[in-house]
Amino acid sequence: MSGHVVSLKTYGAVFAALMALLAITVGVAYVQLGRFNVVAALTIAVVKALIIILYFMHVRYSPRLTWIFVSAGFFWLLILLSLLSTDYISRDWLPVPAGWEDAR
Amino acid sequence: MSERAAALAHQFDDLGQQHQAASLGMWVFLATEIMFFGGLFAGYAVYRSAYSRAFAESSHHLDIILGGVNTAVLLCSSLTMALAVRSAQLNRRRAIVLFLIATMVLGAVFLGVKFVEYRHKYEERLIPGPGFHLEAPQAQHAQLFFSFYFVMTGMHALHMVIGVPMLGVMGWLAFRGRFSRHYYSPVEMAGLYWHFVDIVWVFLFPMLYLIDRAG
């Protein structure tokens, strides 16, 4: 029982990638991209998280059952975020009947 | 052989099955943590879109250099944590202890920097409450930003405060020779926790410090 031993070379590459992504995300934050600043920051964060999960947390070398447990956690988070955003995004789509505005 | 037998709890067939069960249990716990921090992130996203200007201006009061340094420190600590687990897999007992100590030191550095940041906020009177003071048209909404900032980074820091002594216990057990390449599940599970806390920060840093920097 000793599991998959990740080579030092792989860990070195993973660490270098994480540091490079950190530098990129800080650099991109100063570039004027409008709403794409958020998209860029979150995309880089997701990539960093995936690298950490797959290599540092050994999920890449884990059995399928572990994959299911890991995905379930993030899938439930996705349910939370998507149902929440459908509410807040669509809130202003329908006109509010007269009289309700004052009560708000 | 007796070493393996001593590490095996009687309800499991073998050490592989035992390790697998521990790993699944840890991931179930981490799923609850994902939902816990996910709720905070969702709340932050809702109010950030509602009061985007006040949130953007408030985020300029955060120190991007200290935040960036802390991100680097935490990524380094994740590397040393992964190397501690690797040392256990390779039966290098002294190296486990050394890498765990390195991880704890880096964790302490992170908390120290966080403390400095919090003190700056205190001196600038940016702690939400009666003492809050900010010359801005939407000070109320700015106060909301700092409430999110302190709760989210505070909960993250609390996880670190729990994690560091946990690694200390692991280091002590490793020093006593309790782990080998046959049995190192506790070190690996503590590692999963540590990496998860790192991932939370990987999202906190851009969301709080970076997103509105160019605006």
Side-chain angles (χ1 to χ4, degrees):
Chain A
M1 217 308 292
S2 54
H4 180 94
V5 182
V6 182
S7 73
L8 283 180
K9 225 175 99 181
T10 308
Y11 275 149
V14 162
F15 181 67
L18 288 172
M19 283 306 199
L21 285 168
L22 168 62
I24 292 170
T25 193
V26 173
V28 166
Y30 285 100
V31 182
Q32 188 79 258
L33 295 173
R35 60 163 52 185
F36 287 102
N37 275 116
V38 183
V39 179
L42 285 180
T43 309
I44 293 172
V46 168
V47 172
K48 278 165 86 178
L50 277 176
I51 293 175
I52 294 173
I53 290 168
L54 287 178
Y55 291 95
F56 281 166
M57 297 172 98
H58 295 162
V59 169
R60 189 180 163 194
Y61 312 102
S62 298
R64 289 283 164 240
L65 192 56
T66 308
W67 282 77
I68 294 173
F69 274 55
V70 177
S71 325
F74 288 99
F75 183 67
W76 251 254
L77 177 65
L78 219 59
I79 296 174
L80 171 75
L81 296 178
S82 51
L83 290 186
L84 189 85
S85 47
T86 52
D87 176 8
Y88 280 96
I89 289 171
S90 64
R91 221 167 244 211
D92 300 326
W93 288 3
L94 293 176
V96 180
W100 279 81
E101 279 292 348
D102 308 324
R104 278 220 294 198
Chain B
M1 187 60 220
S2 63
E3 191 187 356
R4 292 194 199 196
L8 181 64
H10 64 86
Q11 69 268 34
F12 296 111
D13 290 339
D14 54 46
L15 285 170
Q17 190 193 41
Q18 176 172 291
H19 186 82
Q20 171 77 7
S23 169
L24 290 181
M26 194 63 202
W27 272 107
V28 170
F29 168 67
L30 291 183
T32 71
E33 292 275 75
I34 291 169
M35 294 308 286
F36 172 71
F37 280 102
L40 289 173
F41 277 111
Y44 175 76
V46 165
Y47 282 102
R48 190 188 166 277
S49 59
Y51 309 127
S52 50
R53 267 203 56 195
F55 271 48
E57 278 163 21
S58 306
S59 75
H60 287 230
H61 289 272
L62 301 184
D63 192 327
I64 211 164
I65 294 174
L66 289 182
V69 166
N70 249 356
T71 313
V73 167
L74 217 47
L75 291 175
C76 289
S77 81
S78 257
L79 177 69
T80 55
M81 185 69 233
L83 290 175
V85 174
R86 186 174 184 274
S87 308
Q89 290 175 319
L90 296 173
N91 233 4
R92 296 176 188 156
R93 297 185 183 182
R94 238 173 72 86
I96 309 176
V97 180
L98 292 178
F99 279 124
L100 283 176
I101 290 173
T103 312
M104 287 166 68
V105 168
L106 289 166
V109 168
F110 177 93
L111 288 171
V113 173
K114 204 72 233 165
F115 176 77
V116 170
E117 279 191 86
Y118 279 179
R119 210 185 51 197
H120 287 169
K121 297 290 159 294
Y122 176 76
E123 283 162 0
E124 292 165 33
R125 300 181 64 189
L126 292 175
I127 311 272
F132 186 84
H133 180 76
L134 184 67
E135 289 297 337
Q138 293 153 323
Q140 291 291 338
H141 299 161
Q143 200 165 169
L144 194 57
F145 172 83
F146 283 103
S147 301
F148 271 111
Y149 168 77
F150 280 108
V151 170
M152 292 169 92
T153 58
M155 286 318 298
H156 177 265
L158 177 65
H159 278 75
M160 303 271 303
V161 168
I162 294 167
V164 171
M166 193 166 73
L167 296 184
V169 172
M170 291 306 146
W172 174 246
L173 291 177
F175 180 72
R176 298 277 306 274
R178 293 280 292 277
F179 303 125
S180 66
R181 70 191 168 87
H182 303 301
Y183 177 69
Y184 59 89
S185 302
V187 185
E188 172 136 20
M189 299 315 132
L192 287 182
Y193 177 85
W194 194 262
H195 296 309
F196 173 80
V197 175
D198 189 10
I199 289 174
V200 171
W201 183 259
V202 158
F203 283 94
L204 278 178
F205 176 57
M207 293 273 280
L208 293 170
Y209 291 73
L210 294 182
I211 279 176
D212 293 306
R213 214 32 84 138

